[in-house]
Amino acid sequence: MNHISHWINGALVAGTSGRSGAVFNPATGVQSSTVDFASVQEIDAAVAAATAALPGWRATNLSRRAEIMFNIRNLVQSNRNEIATMLSAEHGKVVTDALGEIARGLENIEFACGIPHLLKGSYSEQAATGVDVYSIRQPLGVVAGITPFNFPAMVPMWMFASAIACGNTFILKPSEKDPSVALFLAELLKQAGVPDGVFNVINGDKVAVDRLLEHPDVAAVSFVGSTPIAKYIYETGTKNGKRVQALGGAKNHMLVLPDADLDMAADAAVSAAYGSAGERCMAISVLLAVDSVADALIKKVQERIPAITVGPASDSKNEMGPLITAEHRDKVAGYLAGAAAEGATVVVDGRTNVPADGFFIRPSIIDGVKPGMRCYDEEIFGPVLNVVRVKSYAEGVALINDNQFGNGVALFTRDGGVAREFQFDVSVGMVGINVPIPVPVSYYSFGGWKNSLFGDHHMYGPEGINFFTRSKVVTSRWPDPRTSSVDLGFPQNR
C-alpha cells in the first residue's frame, strides 16, 4: 500500500509519530494509501527549516523570485495531466473537473509572476524641506496554509504563490483525505529552483493544526474550510498573536427573476449545483425562484438531471464523481431523508440508482424549502439543490441578506437596472450577474462576508499580497551639515 509522508527542508521525510490516517479512492471505497500524521516535534522541525531558509529567501532579488515563479508555472502546466489524475484518484472528481481546478490555480501563480510590480511602493519627494518619504512592503516571515479536501491543488496555489513570491517561507498542511498532490507540488517547486526550506508540507490532523496556530515562529495562517473550524482557526491564531485569514462555509443563493432566460438559468443552476458533486464553497445550493416562473424553472432543472452521467473518473464519459468519504455521503443523504419531516418535498432523490461501489449520491432537488429547515440553514456540501419560492425580488434579497453566510450569490435577469440594484443591495462578498459561480479572477481577490470569512483580508490577488506582507514607511533626510541644529519642538512639515 502506498505510504505518504512529509516534505521538510527540500526532501521527503518519513513520519515518526506512530500515528497515521487512511486515504481512500472515493470512487471504489477502497483504501489506497496511509498518510503519516505529524507530531509536535515534526511540526517544529518544519518551522525550524522554514526559519533557517527565511533570511536567504527574503534577500533574494525580485527578478530571481519572478523567474522561479515562472518556472513553477511552467512545471505545473506541463505536469497538469499527472496532477489531475493523482487528484482524481484521492478526491474523486472527474479528470476534466480536476484540470479546471489546476487551471484556476495556475492563474494565481501567473499573478504572482508579476511580483516585482506588485511589491512596488510609493515615494513622496520633498514631503518637507529636504525630507523624502517612501513606503515599502516586506514579508512577514514563516507563514502557514491549512487547506481543504475539495480543492487539493487550487487552494494551496491560492496561498503559497503569493506567500513565497513576497519573500515568506511557507508550511502547507493539506487535507489528510487527499494529500498526495501537495507532495507532488513540493517536488515541482524544488525543480523550479525554490530553495530548501522555503516550501514545506506537513501532513496531519488537529495536532498539526494546533501546533501551527500556537508556534511562536509562525507569523500568519491562511485557512479555507468549514465555518466552525474557520472560527476556531481565527480565534486561536489571533489569540497567539498571528495574522489570520480564515474562509468558512457558504449557502450560495441564485435568484431567478421572471424576465430571465429560463433555459440559461436552468443550465446554470445544474452546472453550479452539481459540478464537483456539490463539494465546493461556491456551489449554488439554494435556488430562489420567483413564484410566477418557479414551476417552469424547476421543471427545466429537473429535465436536465437524467443527462448527468455519474460514476468513477476512470470512465471519461462520467461528468460527476463521488463524495469524499462514506461518512460525508451519509451526512448528505441525511438531509434528503429528513426533508419530508420538515415539510419539504424531495423532487429528485439522488440516493437511488447509484454505483454499487464508492461514495456516490446522484444530483438531488428538494422543493418547498424554507428558512428554519436543516437543509436550508446548514451547509450540505453535496449535490443537493434546495428550491425556495419567493414572491418578489425584495423577498429574495431579504432571504439572502438574512442568511448567516455571505460567500457567493447570483442573479439571473435581463434588466440591467435591477442587476445594478442587486449588486448594491446584497450583503455577500462575491456577486454574479448571469454568472452562477462568480469566483474572481486572480487579479481580484476571493472572499465572502459574515460567517463565510473571519479576518480582514480576502484570499489571493491584491489582498493576498497585502496579507502576506506588512508595510514600512521610511522618512529620510540627507541634510547639508551646515543647516543642522538642535530643535526640541514637535517635527513639522511646513
Side-chain angles (χ1 to χ4, degrees), residues 49-69:
T51 301
L54 179 63
W57 182 242
R58 179 189 173 191
T60 301
N61 66 66
L62 291 176
S63 295
R64 174 59 179 157
R65 279 192 241 157
E67 179 185 18
I68 290 174
M69 296 309 299

Side-chain angles (χ1 to χ4, degrees), residues 167-214:
N168 302 280
T169 55
F170 192 85
I171 299 170
L172 173 62
K173 208 300 283 183
S175 170
E176 66 277 14
K177 295 180 177 67
D178 46 10
S180 292
V181 168
L183 292 172
F184 188 72
L185 289 173
E187 294 177 359
L188 295 183
L189 266 63
K190 184 178 178 72
Q191 293 176 35
V194 174
D196 293 348
V198 171
F199 183 80
N200 306 274
V201 179
I202 284 290
N203 286 303
D205 53 7
K206 189 174 184 295
V207 172
V209 170
D210 285 345
R211 183 55 181 159
L212 290 171
L213 292 174
E214 68 186 17

Side-chain angles (χ1 to χ4, degrees), residues 220-279:
V221 175
S222 182
F223 172 84
V224 175
S226 68
T227 286
I229 305 302
K231 184 178 181 182
Y232 172 80
I233 295 286
Y234 179 76
E235 291 176 349
T236 307
T238 53
K239 183 176 67 176
N240 285 291
K242 304 187 190 314
R243 182 180 290 187
V244 180
Q245 56 177 183
L247 276 62
K251 198 73 178 180
N252 304 315
H253 294 61
M254 175 175 153
L255 175 59
V256 180
L257 299 185
D259 71 319
D261 182 319
L262 294 188
D263 286 309
M264 178 180 171
D267 288 340
V270 169
S271 301
Y274 306 128
S276 199
E279 290 179 323

Side-chain angles (χ1 to χ4, degrees), residues 119-122 134-138 469-474:
L119 287 184
K120 287 195 318 188
S122 57
Y134 57 95
S135 65
I136 53 181
R137 300 203 70 87
Q138 295 183 331
T469 58
R470 52 187 172 184
S471 63
K472 180 181 288 184
V473 177
V474 180

Side-chain angles (χ1 to χ4, degrees), residues 470-486:
R470 52 187 172 184
S471 63
K472 180 181 288 184
V473 177
V474 180
T475 304
S476 68
R477 169 186 283 154
W478 299 99
D480 183 336
R482 293 170 297 179
T483 66
S484 179
S485 63
V486 174

